[in-house]
Amino acid sequence: DHIPVICIDGPTASGKGTLAALAAHRLGYHYLDSGALYRLSAFAAAQAGISLDDGDGVAGIARTLPVRFKGEKVFLDGKDVSDAIRTEAAGMAASKVSAHPQVRTALLELQHGFRCLPGLVADGRDMGTVVFPGAQLKIYLTASAEHRAERRYKQLISKGNSATLASIQQDLEARDARDMSRKAAPLKPADDAKLLDNSYLSIENSVDQVIEWWQGSR
Ligand code: C5P
C-alpha cells in the first residue's frame, strides 16, 4: 500500500473522468477509468453472444479482457473501441453487467494492476469503498441531476449525436438508481471520503481542490 492512490467516485456524468484525468496529468500519475472496464466487459460479452444477464458468462470474458489503454483511446483485442463504448446504451449495458458480483471480482486484479509508481488516480463507483480501500485520498464527486444531464447533453451534441435533455436526465437517474441499490459494491461515499459538489465549480477549480486536499493529506 505504499504506492499513492487518489480515488474519485460518484454518479454518472458528475465529471469524474475529466477531473481524474486532469489531476493525474498534473501530478504525473497514472489514470484508471474503471467504468471503461465495465463498458468493455459488456461490449465484449455482447460480441461473443453472451447475455448481459449471464453473470458467470460475462465474468469469464471480464477475467481475460484483452484491453489496452493508449492516451484517450481504448483498444479491445487491438481494435479501437473508444467511441463504441462511450454511447449511452453502452453505459446502460455496463451498469447491468456491473451488478453481477462475479463480474466485479473478475475485474479486481486488472484494476489493482494500475497501481504503479509514482501513483494512481482512479475514477469509478467503488474505488474508495472496495477496490482501493487503503487509498490516501478519497473523493466523492457529485453535481445536481440537472447539471449532470446538461453536461452530458452538450457532450453528445458536440459529438454529433442527437439527444433530448429530458431523456438524458431520465437515463442517468435510472442508471444511478441501479448503481446505488445493487447489493455488490453499491455507489456510496466511502466513510472517509471528502465530498465535492461541482455543480457551480469550474473544472479548473475542481482540479485545484483535489490537488490541495492531496497536498494536505501527505
Ligand atoms: O463511469 P461510467 O459511466 O463509464 O461507468 C459505466 C457503468 O459501470 C456505471 O453506470 C456503473 O454501473 C459501472 N461501474 C461500476 N463500478 C465502477 C465503475 C463503473 O459499477 N468502479
Side-chain angles (χ1 to χ4, degrees):
D1 273 16
H2 62 290
I3 301 178
V5 181
I6 300 175
C7 298
I8 304 183
D9 290 303
T12 303
S14 53
K16 306 180 297 292
T18 311
L19 178 59
L22 286 173
H25 184 76
R26 265 226 225 155
L27 294 164
Y29 284 6
H30 300 278
Y31 166 52
L32 166 62
D33 169 7
S34 64
L37 303 180
Y38 290 93
R39 289 169 181 266
L40 287 161
S41 300
F43 184 83
Q47 273 196 329
I50 291 168
S51 159
L52 302 186
D53 297 324
D54 176 1
D56 290 332
V58 181
I61 295 269
R63 206 165 291 122
T64 57
L65 211 55
V67 60
R68 202 163 51 88
F69 290 90
K70 209 177 156 202
E72 308 247 286
K73 299 276 179 200
V74 193
F75 297 84
L76 188 65
D77 227 350
K79 250 189 66 188
D80 184 353
V81 294
S82 321
D83 292 335
I85 64 159
R86 287 286 149 224
T87 64
E88 290 304 286
M92 204 53 103
S95 172
K96 274 186 193 145
V97 303
S98 74
H100 299 302
Q102 311 94 300
V103 175
R104 308 200 68 85
T105 307
L107 289 173
L108 260 185
E109 209 178 311
L110 181 56
Q111 295 176 86
H112 288 156
F114 281 81
R115 187 176 199 170
C116 295
L117 285 169
L120 174 69
V121 184
D123 91 68
R125 304 293 186 291
D126 64 340
M127 297 298 95
T129 52
V130 175
V131 181
F132 301 109
Q136 290 83 347
L137 175 62
K138 300 175 184 177
I139 294 164
Y140 191 82
L141 185 69
T142 53
S144 72
E146 288 76 16
H147 280 93
R148 293 185 287 121
E150 199 174 308
R151 286 182 201 149
R152 183 51 58 89
Y153 175 77
K154 284 185 182 151
Q155 231 173 40
L156 286 170
I157 297 300
S158 75
K159 283 189 193 150
N161 297 298
S162 65
T164 69
L165 192 56
S167 75
I168 288 174
Q169 187 169 333
Q170 218 167 45
D171 279 5
L172 65 84
E173 283 180 317
R175 182 133 70 94
D176 291 343
R178 188 196 346 251
D179 291 346
M180 289 173 177
S181 65
R182 70 184 176 212
K183 283 210 182 69
L187 169 64
K188 61 164 187 217
D191 292 336
D192 48 351
K194 297 199 182 293
L195 301 185
L196 181 58
D197 185 322
N198 68 3
S199 300
Y200 299 100
L201 270 188
S202 73
I203 183 69
E204 270 316 304
N205 287 329
S206 304
V207 180
D208 289 344
Q209 178 61 265
V210 173
I211 304 293
E212 194 185 309
W213 275 333
W214 181 233
Q215 285 162 349
S217 75
R218 339 190 60 206

